[in-house]
Amino acid sequence: MKNLDVAKLNETVAFIQSKTNTKPQAGIILGSGLGGLVNDLQVSLSLSYEEIPNFPTSTVKGHGGKLLFGQLNGKEVVMLSGRFHYYEGYTMQEVTFPVRVMKQLGCELLMVSNAAGGMNKAFKVGDLMIINDHINLFPEHPLRGQNDETVGPRFPDMTEPYNLELISKAKAIAAKNDILVYDGVYIGLQGPTFETKAEYNWLHVIGGDTVGMSTVPEVIVAIHGGMKVFGMSVVTDLGIREEMNVITHEEVLEAANIAAPKMALIFKELLGEI
Ligand code: HPA
């Protein structure tokens, strides 16, 4: 088994390049309830996932299902509106295929966002966290399988997956705009269950600040391909909490929607600085 089917990737990229000759500088992946940034994009081309050869298709409520090209704050970008989650049944190759496509189209930067549970005791629902590191608890690895050295190294270094310069720029943007932003460690696991109380406690103990069901596979593949990465979590629920309350997908989407404009502002301004 190969960790990437390069022939398929080339076919997909050739199809997209037959529709547009823009060369995006950054790829953007928006998490659950965080799709509002799409409204700020001056769209030059919109492709539904169904029409793109070899692209997976999206199944979850709250996820779009379009690959969008256009300008955001003066920069050419490609945006994945609706990401693919491992819990939906996709293979890791499918989950990360859009990142391969972004890289092949010319993107040097991947910007990711996610809705996440918060373990850090300082966090409140609606808070923003810049991801400065991650812990990978997915049961399968996107780079498992025969590696093509022309795509990326067999053993990628993961000392600094989240670009430090972009993190400090994002912090400065947040400060300038009076936006409270934390930074911390995101833990990615498969879901689809939200965590038990014992699991949230354990995730805190092992060093996590937020937890979610996405992001880590895409970031790994971006690093493998030599891209820079910037990522943010919106805290949509609290794992470590006093009172007992049940976490629902609706609650997650609602909290994400409220925080989304602040995150959108940081993404846009950051793009302006690349
Ligand atoms: N756990 C895992 N994934 C999530 C959560 C959570 O608490 N909130 C949003 N996505």
Side-chain angles (χ1 to χ4, degrees):
M1 184 193 90
K2 292 178 180 167
N3 63 24
L4 173 68
D5 187 332
V6 177
K8 273 191 175 170
L9 176 64
N10 290 341
E11 186 190 5
T12 306
V13 170
F15 170 83
I16 293 169
Q17 287 174 336
S18 76
K19 303 276 178 192
T20 177
N21 45 27
T22 60
K23 192 166 175 276
Q25 288 173 267
I28 302 176
I29 301 181
L30 302 170
S32 305
L34 300 169
L37 190 58
V38 168
N39 302 325
D40 296 325
L41 183 71
Q42 283 174 280
V43 180
S44 60
L45 175 69
S46 167
L47 297 169
S48 68
Y49 295 160
E50 289 82 21
E51 64 185 300
I52 308 173
N54 309 317
F55 231 69
T57 47
S58 184
T59 65
V60 177
K61 211 167 51 170
H63 290 270
K66 283 188 168 68
L67 191 66
L68 302 168
F69 292 82
Q71 286 210 352
L72 194 59
N73 200 8
K75 297 283 154 65
E76 291 292 335
V77 301
V78 51
M79 205 183 267
L80 194 68
S81 177
R83 61 147 57 94
F84 304 102
H85 298 88
Y86 185 70
Y87 64 73
E88 293 175 87
Y90 300 112
T91 63
M92 278 298 183
Q93 273 61 43
E94 289 171 319
V95 168
T96 57
F97 188 69
V99 179
R100 298 291 190 194
V101 171
M102 287 169 167
K103 165 70 190 174
Q104 203 67 17
L105 288 170
C107 297
E108 300 290 338
L109 168 65
L110 175 68
M111 301 177 94
V112 278
S113 66
N114 57 58
M119 282 87 70
N120 186 314
K121 291 195 170 73
F123 290 179
K124 296 187 196 61
V125 168
D127 279 345
L128 299 179
M129 187 192 87
I130 296 171
I131 304 172
N132 62 22
D133 208 345
H134 73 223
I135 296 175
N136 179 16
L137 293 185
F138 279 90
E140 201 193 315
H141 201 287
L143 302 184
R144 192 174 89 90
Q146 194 188 331
N147 188 62
D148 183 337
E149 288 284 331
T150 63
V151 177
R154 170 74 292 185
F155 301 109
D157 178 73
M158 293 293 277
T159 317
E160 192 196 305
Y162 300 88
N163 186 270
L164 291 181
E165 198 185 328
L166 293 174
I167 291 174
S168 68
K169 281 184 175 166
K171 283 183 180 170
I173 291 164
K176 197 179 71 189
N177 290 282
D178 272 329
I179 297 171
L180 172 68
V181 66
Y182 294 94
D183 65 337
V185 175
Y186 175 84
I187 298 185
L189 36 66
Q190 66 173 315
T193 44
F194 292 116
E195 289 65 42
T196 64
K197 280 187 288 173
E199 286 166 343
Y200 280 120
N201 281 326
W202 172 69
L203 292 168
H204 179 58
V205 167
I206 66 170
D209 297 293
T210 58
V211 57
M213 308 170 194
S214 65
T215 304
V216 169
E218 293 113 311
V219 170
I220 288 172
V221 162
I223 295 298
H224 183 239
M227 297 169 82
K228 285 184 187 167
V229 174
F230 176 77
M232 286 186 77
S233 288
V234 173
V235 177
T236 56
D237 51 87
L238 299 174
I240 311 282
R241 55 191 183 264
E242 302 297 317
E243 76 276 21
M244 281 297 295
N245 70 311
V246 173
I247 300 168
T248 64
H249 186 54
E250 285 66 30
E251 177 194 16
V252 165
L253 291 181
E254 198 188 314
N257 267 313
I258 292 167
K262 289 188 283 182
M263 182 182 282
L265 186 145
I266 295 172
F267 270 45
K268 276 184 290 187
E269 297 254 318
L270 192 56
L271 263 178
E273 295 192 19
I274 63 166

